[in-house]
Structures are given as structure tokens and as C-alpha cells.
Amino acid sequence: MRPFRVACEGILHAVRSERNMRLHLLSAFLVFVFTIWLQPTRLEIVILFGWVIAVISMEMMNTAIERTVNLVTEDVHPLAKQAKDVAAGAVLVASFGAAVTALIIFGPRLWNMLY
């Protein structure tokens, strides 16, 4: 039970301390709303859910890497910067993939409703 509690504390810390995590959760909520409204197939829901989990997980890993680098050095070191930049880049790549997937799934439905 302790590992579960510790993991939940980590999630709560990320939500409370990271603005981008809150933005990702807002995006996840919007995906949920669009899912209810536009009723994609089960497979599409699984794909969307997978992207939501991937983006949130990547943001948490980015936070962990940033904290670890800050613990190791307070100096502006080129390797520390690279580690942080690469971790942030991973979040950006996952977010882009999620956004493109959402457009592919929701776009035609929205288009058909409007026109």
C-alpha cells in the first residue's frame, strides 16, 4: 500500500507544482468532453486514452529529470541544460502526437457537424 500512496503523492506534487501538468490535465478533460460529445469508436477511445496517458507520463518524467538535475548541480552546465531540454522535447513530441491524433479522430466529425 505504501508504494501506491507514494506514487499518488508524486502525482499530486506534479499537479500542484507544474503549470504544464495542469494544462495537460485540462487537455485531457477536453478530450473526455469531445469523446462524450462526438462518440468515437472504442478503438479511437483507446488510442486517445493512450496518448493522454503518454503525455501526462512524459510530463511527470520531465519534472523528475528537472528535479534530479537541480539536485545534482545548481550551476548552468551544458549537460544539465541538455538533459532538461531533451526531457522537455520528449513532452513536446508526445503532445504533438496527441494533438495530431485528436485532429484525425475529431476533425472529420466536427467538420461534418458544421457543414
Side-chain angles (χ1 to χ4, degrees):
M1 193 66 171
R2 178 166 159 61
F4 181 77
R5 189 176 77 242
V6 171
C8 288
E9 288 173 10
I11 294 167
L12 287 174
H13 173 75
V15 171
R16 289 180 184 139
S17 67
E18 295 297 318
R19 181 173 129 329
N20 286 341
M21 176 60 93
R22 293 188 296 274
L23 290 173
H24 293 310
L25 289 175
L26 174 62
S27 297
F29 176 75
L30 291 174
V31 167
F32 176 73
V33 169
F34 273 87
T35 298
I36 291 171
W37 180 36
L38 300 173
Q39 300 181 345
T41 67
R42 285 185 181 169
L43 177 60
E44 290 169 332
I45 291 169
V46 169
I47 292 167
L48 290 166
F49 181 73
W51 275 112
V52 166
I53 295 303
V55 170
I56 290 172
S57 297
M58 291 303 298
E59 183 61 44
M60 292 175 69
M61 290 303 298
N62 180 45
T63 300
I65 289 168
E66 287 181 353
R67 299 292 193 277
T68 302
V69 169
N70 291 343
L71 181 65
V72 172
T73 181
E74 291 183 17
D75 297 331
V76 180
H77 190 281
L79 291 177
K81 181 183 181 330
Q82 288 172 4
K84 289 182 174 187
D85 291 352
V86 169
V91 178
L92 182 61
V93 168
S95 297
F96 182 74
V100 169
T101 302
L103 283 173
I104 291 169
I105 291 172
F106 294 137
R109 287 175 173 84
L110 287 169
W111 183 263
N112 289 336
M113 291 178 81
L114 295 174
Y115 298 103

